[in-house]
Amino acid sequence: MNKSKVRIQNSITYAIVVGCWILVQIMDKTGHMTSLLRGILVPLCMYSILAISLNLTVGILGELSLGHAGFMCVGAFAGAFFTKCMENVLPSLQLRFFLAILIGAAVAGVCGILIGIPVLRLKGDYLAIVTLAFGEIIKNLINVMYIGLDKNGFHFSIKDTMSLGMDETGVVIIKGAQGITGTPKAATFLIALVLLLITLFIVLNLIHSRTGRAIMSIRDNRIAAESIGINITKYKLMAFSISAALAGVAGVLYAHNLSTLAATPKNFGYNMSIMILVFVVLGGLGNIRGSMIAAVVLTLLPELLRGLNDYRMLIYAVVLIVMMLFNSSPKAIELRSVMLDRFRKKKDSAAKEAA
Protein backbone atom coordinates (compact mmCIF):
# COMPACT_ATOMS: atom_id res chain seq x y z
CA MET A 1 0.00 0.00 0.00
CA ASN A 2 1.47 3.35 -1.05
CA LYS A 3 1.81 6.33 1.24
CA SER A 4 -1.20 8.25 -0.14
CA LYS A 5 -3.53 5.25 0.42
CA VAL A 6 -2.13 4.81 3.93
CA ARG A 7 -2.81 8.47 4.72
CA ILE A 8 -6.38 8.19 3.37
CA GLN A 9 -7.08 5.04 5.42
CA ASN A 10 -5.61 6.60 8.58
CA SER A 11 -7.59 9.80 8.01
CA ILE A 12 -10.82 7.77 7.70
CA THR A 13 -10.05 6.08 11.05
CA TYR A 14 -9.43 9.44 12.77
CA ALA A 15 -12.56 10.89 11.11
CA ILE A 16 -14.69 8.05 12.53
CA VAL A 17 -13.52 8.92 16.07
CA VAL A 18 -14.10 12.67 15.57
CA GLY A 19 -17.49 11.92 13.97
CA CYS A 20 -18.51 9.91 17.06
CA TRP A 21 -17.56 12.88 19.27
CA ILE A 22 -19.69 15.24 17.13
CA LEU A 23 -22.62 12.76 17.25
CA VAL A 24 -22.38 12.57 21.06
CA GLN A 25 -22.35 16.38 21.29
CA ILE A 26 -25.44 16.63 19.05
CA MET A 27 -27.27 13.99 21.11
CA ASP A 28 -26.31 15.80 24.32
CA LYS A 29 -27.49 19.21 23.07
CA THR A 30 -30.80 17.86 21.72
CA GLY A 31 -31.58 15.94 24.92
CA HIS A 32 -31.30 12.45 23.37
CA MET A 33 -28.38 11.42 25.59
CA THR A 34 -29.57 9.01 28.29
CA SER A 35 -27.80 8.65 31.63
CA LEU A 36 -26.97 5.02 30.74
CA LEU A 37 -25.26 6.05 27.49
CA ARG A 38 -23.45 8.94 29.19
CA GLY A 39 -22.09 6.52 31.79
CA ILE A 40 -20.46 4.19 29.24
CA LEU A 41 -18.78 6.85 27.05
CA VAL A 42 -15.46 6.62 28.92
CA PRO A 43 -15.53 2.77 29.04
CA LEU A 44 -16.14 2.73 25.26
CA CYS A 45 -12.89 4.67 24.70
CA MET A 46 -11.09 2.56 27.30
CA TYR A 47 -12.08 -0.75 25.67
CA SER A 48 -11.14 0.65 22.24
CA ILE A 49 -7.64 1.53 23.53
CA LEU A 50 -7.29 -1.97 25.02
CA ALA A 51 -8.42 -3.64 21.77
CA ILE A 52 -6.06 -1.52 19.62
CA SER A 53 -3.10 -2.14 21.95
CA LEU A 54 -3.71 -5.91 22.12
CA ASN A 55 -4.02 -6.05 18.32
CA LEU A 56 -0.46 -4.76 18.19
CA THR A 57 0.68 -7.93 20.00
CA VAL A 58 -1.78 -10.48 18.58
CA GLY A 59 -2.46 -9.15 15.08
CA ILE A 60 0.73 -7.30 14.12
CA LEU A 61 3.36 -9.23 16.10
CA GLY A 62 1.47 -12.53 15.83
CA GLU A 63 1.88 -13.62 19.47
CA LEU A 64 -1.08 -14.73 21.60
CA SER A 65 -1.16 -12.82 24.90
CA LEU A 66 -3.76 -13.47 27.60
CA GLY A 67 -2.30 -11.13 30.23
CA HIS A 68 -3.52 -7.81 28.87
CA ALA A 69 -5.80 -7.26 31.87
CA GLY A 70 -2.67 -7.58 34.06
CA PHE A 71 -0.99 -4.61 32.34
CA MET A 72 -4.26 -2.69 32.61
CA CYS A 73 -4.32 -3.50 36.35
CA VAL A 74 -0.72 -2.29 36.81
CA GLY A 75 -1.49 1.01 35.04
CA ALA A 76 -4.73 1.51 36.97
CA PHE A 77 -3.16 1.06 40.41
CA ALA A 78 0.03 3.00 39.56
CA GLY A 79 -2.04 5.97 38.30
CA ALA A 80 -4.56 5.91 41.15
CA PHE A 81 -1.76 5.53 43.74
CA PHE A 82 0.04 8.59 42.34
CA THR A 83 -3.16 10.66 42.29
CA LYS A 84 -3.89 9.83 45.94
CA CYS A 85 -0.31 10.42 47.12
CA MET A 86 -0.01 13.81 45.39
CA GLU A 87 -3.39 15.07 46.66
CA ASN A 88 -1.82 17.62 49.02
CA VAL A 89 1.27 18.35 46.91
CA LEU A 90 -0.47 19.08 43.58
CA PRO A 91 -3.88 20.72 44.13
CA SER A 92 -4.72 20.71 40.38
CA LEU A 93 -6.66 17.51 39.65
CA GLN A 94 -6.15 17.73 35.88
CA LEU A 95 -2.35 18.04 36.30
CA ARG A 96 -2.31 15.04 38.66
CA PHE A 97 -4.43 13.05 36.20
CA PHE A 98 -2.13 13.95 33.29
CA LEU A 99 0.95 12.85 35.27
CA ALA A 100 -0.91 9.72 36.42
CA ILE A 101 -1.47 8.76 32.75
CA LEU A 102 2.26 9.10 32.05
CA ILE A 103 3.18 7.14 35.19
CA GLY A 104 0.59 4.39 34.50
CA ALA A 105 1.91 4.01 30.94
CA ALA A 106 5.55 3.99 32.12
CA VAL A 107 5.01 1.41 34.89
CA ALA A 108 2.96 -0.88 32.61
CA GLY A 109 5.58 -0.49 29.85
CA VAL A 110 8.42 -1.42 32.24
CA CYS A 111 6.40 -4.46 33.37
CA GLY A 112 5.95 -5.34 29.69
CA ILE A 113 9.74 -5.25 29.20
CA LEU A 114 10.44 -7.27 32.38
CA ILE A 115 7.83 -9.90 31.48
CA GLY A 116 8.69 -9.84 27.78
CA ILE A 117 12.42 -10.59 28.15
CA PRO A 118 11.88 -14.19 29.39
CA VAL A 119 8.36 -14.76 28.03
CA LEU A 120 8.84 -13.79 24.36
CA ARG A 121 11.28 -16.67 23.93
CA LEU A 122 8.22 -18.93 24.14
CA LYS A 123 5.73 -19.49 21.31
CA GLY A 124 2.02 -20.20 20.83
CA ASP A 125 0.14 -21.81 23.72
CA TYR A 126 3.13 -21.59 26.08
CA LEU A 127 3.30 -17.81 25.67
CA ALA A 128 -0.48 -17.53 26.22
CA ILE A 129 -0.31 -19.59 29.44
CA VAL A 130 2.61 -17.58 30.89
CA THR A 131 0.99 -14.20 30.12
CA LEU A 132 -2.25 -15.48 31.65
CA ALA A 133 -0.32 -16.47 34.78
CA PHE A 134 1.24 -12.97 34.92
CA GLY A 135 -2.23 -11.37 34.93
CA GLU A 136 -3.36 -13.57 37.81
CA ILE A 137 -0.14 -13.00 39.80
CA ILE A 138 -0.45 -9.19 39.52
CA LYS A 139 -4.07 -9.29 40.66
CA ASN A 140 -3.31 -11.49 43.66
CA LEU A 141 -0.22 -9.47 44.66
CA ILE A 142 -2.26 -6.25 44.80
CA ASN A 143 -4.94 -8.00 46.87
CA VAL A 144 -2.46 -8.68 49.71
CA MET A 145 -0.77 -5.26 49.59
CA TYR A 146 -1.27 -2.63 52.30
CA ILE A 147 0.47 0.69 51.70
CA GLY A 148 0.13 3.76 53.91
CA LEU A 149 1.62 7.26 53.99
CA ASP A 150 2.45 9.48 56.95
CA LYS A 151 4.99 12.25 57.72
CA ASN A 152 7.75 9.62 57.96
CA GLY A 153 7.10 8.31 54.44
CA PHE A 154 5.58 5.14 53.01
CA HIS A 155 4.77 2.04 55.04
CA PHE A 156 4.28 -1.39 53.48
CA SER A 157 2.72 -4.62 54.78
CA ILE A 158 1.18 -7.83 53.44
CA LYS A 159 -0.75 -8.63 56.64
CA ASP A 160 -3.25 -5.86 57.51
CA THR A 161 -3.54 -2.10 58.09
CA MET A 162 -2.53 -2.43 61.79
CA SER A 163 0.85 -3.84 60.74
CA LEU A 164 1.75 -0.65 58.86
CA GLY A 165 2.88 1.07 62.09
CA MET A 166 1.93 4.61 61.05
CA ASP A 167 1.48 7.62 63.34
CA GLU A 168 -1.78 9.57 63.82
CA THR A 169 -1.22 11.52 60.55
CA GLY A 170 -1.04 8.31 58.50
CA VAL A 171 -3.44 7.51 55.66
CA VAL A 172 -3.88 4.04 54.18
CA ILE A 173 -3.80 4.30 50.36
CA ILE A 174 -3.98 0.64 49.26
CA LYS A 175 -6.14 -1.48 51.56
CA GLY A 176 -5.50 -5.01 50.32
CA ALA A 177 -8.57 -6.59 48.72
CA GLN A 178 -10.51 -3.33 49.24
CA GLY A 179 -8.08 -1.61 46.87
CA ILE A 180 -7.94 2.18 46.62
CA THR A 181 -10.97 4.22 47.69
CA GLY A 182 -11.75 7.87 47.06
CA THR A 183 -10.05 8.16 43.66
CA PRO A 184 -11.17 11.45 42.06
CA LYS A 185 -13.37 11.00 38.97
CA ALA A 186 -11.10 12.92 36.58
CA ALA A 187 -11.74 10.86 33.41
CA THR A 188 -14.06 12.65 30.97
CA PHE A 189 -15.26 11.62 27.52
CA LEU A 190 -13.17 14.33 25.85
CA ILE A 191 -9.95 13.25 27.61
CA ALA A 192 -10.70 9.59 26.84
CA LEU A 193 -11.31 10.45 23.18
CA VAL A 194 -8.03 12.39 22.94
CA LEU A 195 -6.18 9.39 24.46
CA LEU A 196 -7.90 7.11 21.92
CA LEU A 197 -6.74 9.37 19.06
CA ILE A 198 -3.17 9.39 20.48
CA THR A 199 -3.27 5.56 20.71
CA LEU A 200 -4.45 5.32 17.11
CA PHE A 201 -1.73 7.75 16.00
CA ILE A 202 1.01 5.76 17.77
CA VAL A 203 -0.13 2.32 16.56
CA LEU A 204 -0.99 3.28 12.96
CA ASN A 205 2.29 5.16 12.49
CA LEU A 206 4.21 2.29 14.03
CA ILE A 207 2.57 -0.26 11.71
CA HIS A 208 3.36 1.72 8.56
CA SER A 209 6.92 2.54 9.60
CA ARG A 210 10.10 0.57 8.97
CA THR A 211 9.82 -0.83 12.51
CA GLY A 212 6.25 -2.00 11.85
CA ARG A 213 7.30 -3.77 8.66
CA ALA A 214 10.08 -5.51 10.59
CA ILE A 215 7.57 -6.63 13.26
CA MET A 216 5.16 -7.97 10.61
CA SER A 217 8.01 -9.80 8.86
CA ILE A 218 8.71 -11.62 12.15
CA ARG A 219 5.02 -12.58 12.29
CA ASP A 220 5.00 -13.87 8.70
CA ASN A 221 8.30 -15.77 8.73
CA ARG A 222 10.61 -15.62 11.70
CA ILE A 223 13.46 -17.54 10.03
CA ALA A 224 13.40 -15.38 6.89
CA ALA A 225 13.31 -12.20 9.00
CA GLU A 226 16.28 -13.36 11.06
CA SER A 227 18.21 -14.34 7.92
CA ILE A 228 18.11 -10.75 6.58
CA GLY A 229 19.46 -9.32 9.84
CA ILE A 230 16.29 -8.31 11.73
CA ASN A 231 16.82 -8.38 15.50
CA ILE A 232 13.93 -10.65 16.54
CA THR A 233 14.19 -10.04 20.30
CA LYS A 234 14.42 -6.25 19.94
CA TYR A 235 11.34 -5.84 17.74
CA LYS A 236 9.21 -8.36 19.62
CA LEU A 237 10.06 -6.67 22.93
CA MET A 238 9.33 -3.24 21.44
CA ALA A 239 5.85 -4.24 20.23
CA PHE A 240 5.04 -6.05 23.49
CA SER A 241 6.13 -3.15 25.73
CA ILE A 242 4.28 -0.50 23.66
CA SER A 243 1.16 -2.67 23.81
CA ALA A 244 1.56 -2.99 27.61
CA ALA A 245 2.09 0.79 28.04
CA LEU A 246 -1.10 1.58 26.09
CA ALA A 247 -2.99 -0.95 28.23
CA GLY A 248 -1.65 0.96 31.26
CA VAL A 249 -3.14 4.19 29.85
CA ALA A 250 -6.53 2.44 29.56
CA GLY A 251 -6.10 1.27 33.17
CA VAL A 252 -5.54 4.86 34.39
CA LEU A 253 -8.73 5.90 32.56
CA TYR A 254 -10.58 3.03 34.22
CA ALA A 255 -9.27 3.92 37.70
CA HIS A 256 -10.28 7.60 37.38
CA ASN A 257 -13.77 6.73 36.17
CA LEU A 258 -14.63 5.00 39.48
CA SER A 259 -14.56 6.08 43.11
CA THR A 260 -13.30 2.67 44.30
CA LEU A 261 -10.64 0.58 42.56
CA ALA A 262 -10.26 -3.08 43.54
CA ALA A 263 -8.32 -5.90 41.84
CA THR A 264 -11.31 -8.24 41.49
CA PRO A 265 -11.58 -11.12 38.97
CA LYS A 266 -14.40 -9.23 37.24
CA ASN A 267 -12.30 -6.09 36.70
CA PHE A 268 -8.84 -7.50 35.94
CA GLY A 269 -9.24 -11.27 35.75
CA TYR A 270 -9.03 -13.89 33.02
CA ASN A 271 -12.45 -13.00 31.60
CA MET A 272 -11.38 -9.38 31.00
CA SER A 273 -8.35 -10.55 28.96
CA ILE A 274 -10.56 -12.93 26.96
CA MET A 275 -13.11 -10.16 26.31
CA ILE A 276 -10.38 -7.85 24.94
CA LEU A 277 -9.13 -10.74 22.77
CA VAL A 278 -12.70 -11.22 21.45
CA PHE A 279 -12.73 -7.56 20.35
CA VAL A 280 -9.47 -8.11 18.47
CA VAL A 281 -10.54 -11.36 16.79
CA LEU A 282 -13.97 -10.09 15.75
CA GLY A 283 -12.54 -6.82 14.47
CA GLY A 284 -9.93 -8.72 12.47
CA LEU A 285 -6.34 -9.61 13.36
CA GLY A 286 -4.15 -6.71 12.29
CA ASN A 287 -7.18 -4.54 11.54
CA ILE A 288 -6.87 -1.59 13.94
CA ARG A 289 -10.06 0.17 12.84
CA GLY A 290 -11.97 -3.14 13.03
CA SER A 291 -10.80 -3.73 16.63
CA MET A 292 -11.99 -0.27 17.64
CA ILE A 293 -15.42 -0.73 16.01
CA ALA A 294 -15.82 -4.25 17.49
CA ALA A 295 -14.99 -2.92 20.98
CA VAL A 296 -17.60 -0.15 20.67
CA VAL A 297 -20.33 -2.42 19.21
CA LEU A 298 -19.82 -5.27 21.69
CA THR A 299 -19.71 -2.88 24.66
CA LEU A 300 -22.82 -1.00 23.55
CA LEU A 301 -24.86 -4.05 22.56
CA PRO A 302 -25.55 -5.55 26.04
CA GLU A 303 -26.48 -2.07 27.36
CA LEU A 304 -28.84 -1.31 24.46
CA LEU A 305 -30.53 -4.71 24.86
CA ARG A 306 -31.36 -4.25 28.56
CA GLY A 307 -35.03 -3.77 27.61
CA LEU A 308 -35.00 -7.37 26.32
CA ASN A 309 -33.60 -8.66 29.59
CA ASP A 310 -34.65 -12.30 29.10
CA TYR A 311 -33.09 -12.54 25.63
CA ARG A 312 -30.24 -10.05 26.00
CA MET A 313 -27.34 -12.52 26.31
CA LEU A 314 -28.89 -14.84 23.69
CA ILE A 315 -28.94 -12.01 21.11
CA TYR A 316 -25.41 -11.02 22.16
CA ALA A 317 -24.17 -14.60 21.61
CA VAL A 318 -25.89 -14.82 18.19
CA VAL A 319 -24.28 -11.52 17.11
CA LEU A 320 -20.85 -12.85 18.20
CA ILE A 321 -21.32 -16.04 16.15
CA VAL A 322 -22.55 -14.14 13.06
CA MET A 323 -19.64 -11.66 13.25
CA MET A 324 -17.14 -14.50 13.67
CA LEU A 325 -18.55 -16.32 10.62
CA PHE A 326 -18.59 -13.10 8.59
CA ASN A 327 -14.96 -12.33 9.45
CA SER A 328 -13.43 -15.81 9.39
CA SER A 329 -15.53 -18.15 7.21
CA PRO A 330 -13.74 -18.90 3.88
CA LYS A 331 -17.06 -18.65 1.98
CA ALA A 332 -17.84 -15.26 3.55
CA ILE A 333 -14.33 -13.98 2.72
CA GLU A 334 -14.74 -15.24 -0.88
CA LEU A 335 -18.17 -13.59 -1.18
CA ARG A 336 -16.79 -10.29 0.17
CA SER A 337 -13.93 -10.32 -2.33
CA VAL A 338 -16.34 -11.05 -5.23
CA MET A 339 -18.65 -8.21 -4.18
CA LEU A 340 -15.66 -5.86 -3.81
CA ASP A 341 -14.38 -6.77 -7.31
CA ARG A 342 -17.83 -6.09 -8.81
CA PHE A 343 -18.03 -2.74 -7.04
CA ARG A 344 -14.57 -1.78 -8.34
CA LYS A 345 -15.47 -2.79 -11.91
CA LYS A 346 -18.67 -0.70 -11.77
CA LYS A 347 -16.71 2.23 -10.38
CA ASP A 348 -14.06 1.95 -13.13
CA SER A 349 -16.69 1.66 -15.91
CA ALA A 350 -18.56 4.69 -14.52
CA ALA A 351 -15.31 6.67 -14.46
CA LYS A 352 -14.55 5.70 -18.08
CA GLU A 353 -18.06 6.73 -19.23
CA ALA A 354 -17.72 10.06 -17.42
CA ALA A 355 -14.35 10.64 -19.14
Side-chain angles (χ1 to χ4, degrees), residues 283-305:
L285 295 177
N287 187 344
I288 301 302
R289 191 194 305 163
S291 297
M292 181 180 68
I293 293 169
V296 170
V297 170
L298 295 181
T299 306
L300 271 175
L301 196 62
E303 303 301 330
L304 296 176
L305 293 174

Side-chain angles (χ1 to χ4, degrees), residues 265-301:
K266 182 183 176 183
N267 296 343
F268 303 111
Y270 169 73
N271 288 334
M272 174 63 84
S273 291
I274 292 297
M275 187 175 74
I276 303 163
L277 185 62
V278 166
F279 297 154
V280 172
V281 173
L282 291 181
L285 295 177
N287 187 344
I288 301 302
R289 191 194 305 163
S291 297
M292 181 180 68
I293 293 169
V296 170
V297 170
L298 295 181
T299 306
L300 271 175
L301 196 62

Side-chain angles (χ1 to χ4, degrees), residues 209-236:
S209 68
R210 187 177 177 180
T211 302
R213 289 191 290 273
I215 291 167
M216 285 186 280
S217 70
I218 294 167
R219 175 196 67 190
D220 296 335
N221 195 320
R222 181 193 173 102
I223 296 170
E226 200 166 15
S227 68
I228 59 170
I230 291 173
N231 189 328
I232 304 291
T233 306
K234 172 189 166 184
Y235 285 109
K236 285 178 78 171

Side-chain angles (χ1 to χ4, degrees), residues 63-82:
E63 298 289 358
L64 180 59
S65 171
L66 295 178
H68 216 55
F71 296 119
M72 178 190 171
C73 183
V74 168
F77 274 87
F81 183 79
F82 174 81

Side-chain angles (χ1 to χ4, degrees), residues 50 58 66 77 123 154 168 214 249 254 270 284 310 321 335:
L50 287 168
V58 178
L66 295 178
F77 274 87
K123 297 178 185 177
F154 290 104
E168 63 279 358
V249 170
Y254 180 81
Y270 169 73
D310 294 339
I321 293 168
L335 182 63

Side-chain angles (χ1 to χ4, degrees), residues 92-143:
S92 173
L93 176 58
Q94 294 306 322
L95 178 59
R96 273 186 287 142
F97 181 47
F98 172 73
L99 293 173
I101 291 169
L102 297 179
I103 287 167
V107 174
V110 169
C111 285
I113 293 169
L114 294 176
I115 298 299
I117 289 169
V119 163
L120 290 174
R121 298 176 188 277
L122 304 172
K123 297 178 185 177
D125 298 342
Y126 300 103
L127 176 65
I129 291 165
V130 174
T131 52
L132 172 63
F134 160 73
E136 293 300 308
I137 289 167
I138 287 293
K139 180 169 61 66
N140 286 292
L141 274 176
I142 290 172
N143 279 331

